Amino acid sequence: MIKLMNKKIIIANWKMNPNSLKLAEKLFTDIAKNISDAKSEIVICPPFLYLSKFKKMSHKIKLGAQNCSYEESGAFTGEISAEMLYDIGARYVILGHSERRSFGETNEDINKKIKTALSSGLIPILCIGEKERNENHEYFNIVKIQILECLNGVKKDFISKIIIAYEPIWSISTTPGRRDANGDDFYEMNVFIRKILSDKFGVKNKMPKIIYGGSVNPKNADEFLKEKNSDGVLVGNASLSSEKFLKIINITEGIS
Ligand code: PEP
């Protein structure tokens, strides 16, 4: 497993885009050729199919997948294992994304995927976040349950290797009627996540990276990056524009 450096991380989630290898290569190259001096950790999570193509295209950009099976191998038609992903060059894997949870993925499934990913050498990027907020503050409990169930039985030494992406669903760019989150929303949840991890796993000095995701763009990125305890951002829609993604990288460089 690669060592997580003490620097900010910017992760691109391309989701099911772009629609051709040619376009994907162009997007990747446009980013890669402009980041030679970057000190931040830059990770691109393209669709599975493009991973092997990108493997040798940049030393600066690390590759991640958007999902993996919790099974190691065998008769699981259509699935892709964590070991296959590592072998093809991925070093990260997004797990528990709200779009996958909406297909029925449970905290229990995600927990199994996290364990398989870790034992295959991949760094899991665990996505958590509530659908909506109300004045009863139930969202704290939702996030707490997600963390405790998704990390159930994960050994303390592995906790610091995981990246936790707080992605409130109400702020994701494709959520109908979405609202903007702000730096305070992230800060408050960041403190809460740290408290849960410290109480449950006793990882006070070895916290995982905690990052923010949800409509991050060049206009609001600094708000989430400069928050105390912010370790970076997960970028969806804006990562499909090399210009916007490079601007976010530049903003990160200025803050790190
Ligand atoms: C996401 O869904 O992981 C995400 C960060 O999307 P967006 O930036 O488009 O809200």
Side-chain angles (χ1 to χ4, degrees):
M1 176 178 292
I2 57 171
K3 224 174 151 231
L4 269 182
M5 299 297 177
N6 196 13
K7 52 190 178 184
K8 289 206 195 292
I9 188 161
I10 312 151
I11 303 172
N13 176 11
W14 284 5
K15 309 192 180 186
M16 200 169 71
N17 300 290
N19 268 341
S20 72
L21 178 57
K22 200 171 164 202
L23 287 173
E25 278 180 320
K26 177 158 175 18
L27 178 55
F28 190 92
T29 317
D30 287 347
I31 296 164
K33 68 184 180 207
N34 285 295
I35 53 160
S36 51
D37 297 334
K39 288 180 287 302
S40 318
E41 177 90 339
I42 299 163
V43 182
I44 293 185
C45 303
F48 292 129
L49 285 172
Y50 304 146
L51 284 168
S52 64
K53 193 74 192 173
F54 292 167
K55 186 177 176 177
K56 295 205 174 83
M57 281 169 58
S58 168
H59 294 301
K60 221 48 214 179
I61 298 175
K62 301 284 184 307
L63 296 175
Q66 299 171 17
N67 183 31
C68 71
S69 171
Y70 52 68
E71 300 289 353
E72 284 173 15
S73 63
F76 304 101
T77 304
E79 292 290 288
I80 293 183
S81 75
E83 204 175 319
M84 289 172 191
L85 291 169
Y86 189 91
D87 181 60
I88 211 94
R91 293 295 176 264
Y92 293 83
V93 60
I94 296 174
L95 294 174
H97 192 279
S98 55
E99 286 153 17
R100 297 215 59 84
R101 290 179 190 262
S102 73
F103 303 146
E105 193 168 275
T106 63
N107 288 334
E108 199 187 350
D109 296 331
I110 297 160
N111 177 249
K112 288 195 269 180
K113 291 183 180 196
I114 286 178
K115 289 175 179 162
T116 314
L118 284 168
S119 63
S120 303
L122 294 175
I123 295 172
I125 302 160
L126 168 62
C127 296
I128 53 170
E130 74 283 3
K131 269 201 187 76
E132 57 204 2
R133 289 192 169 191
N134 60 24
E135 62 276 9
N136 297 335
H137 296 90
E138 279 156 19
Y139 57 93
F140 283 117
N141 204 34
I142 290 166
V143 166
K144 182 174 179 180
I145 291 170
Q146 286 176 337
I147 296 175
L148 295 181
E149 291 187 356
C150 290
L151 297 181
N152 184 31
V154 175
K155 294 207 174 73
K156 181 179 169 181
D157 286 353
F158 280 111
I159 295 293
S160 62
K161 300 194 163 56
I162 293 168
I163 296 172
I164 298 194
Y166 172 58
E167 294 209 305
I169 299 171
W170 48 267
S171 77
I172 289 180
S173 65
T174 48
T175 301
R178 64 163 300 284
R179 295 185 290 115
D180 284 335
N182 60 37
D184 290 345
D185 296 323
F186 177 41
Y187 178 71
E188 177 189 57
M189 197 49 90
N190 192 320
V191 170
F192 181 68
I193 294 168
R194 279 167 202 274
K195 163 114 181 65
I196 296 168
L197 294 172
S198 154
D199 289 353
K200 173 73 188 172
F201 298 96
V203 288
K204 243 188 182 73
N205 302 321
K206 282 183 135 194
M207 278 288 162
K209 282 190 188 295
I210 301 177
I211 65 175
Y212 171 79
S215 297
V216 173
N217 60 53
K219 290 201 182 112
N220 64 13
D222 71 321
E223 189 169 348
F224 299 107
L225 287 159
K226 71 177 189 233
E227 260 323 312
K228 192 165 168 257
N229 293 335
S230 168
D231 292 305
V233 284
L234 174 54
V235 188
N237 191 43
S239 72
L240 296 172
S241 149
S242 56
E243 200 188 323
K244 287 185 189 166
F245 194 59
L246 287 166
K247 276 189 187 156
I248 295 170
I249 293 172
N250 274 338
I251 292 165
T252 314
E253 293 287 296
I255 290 170
S256 298

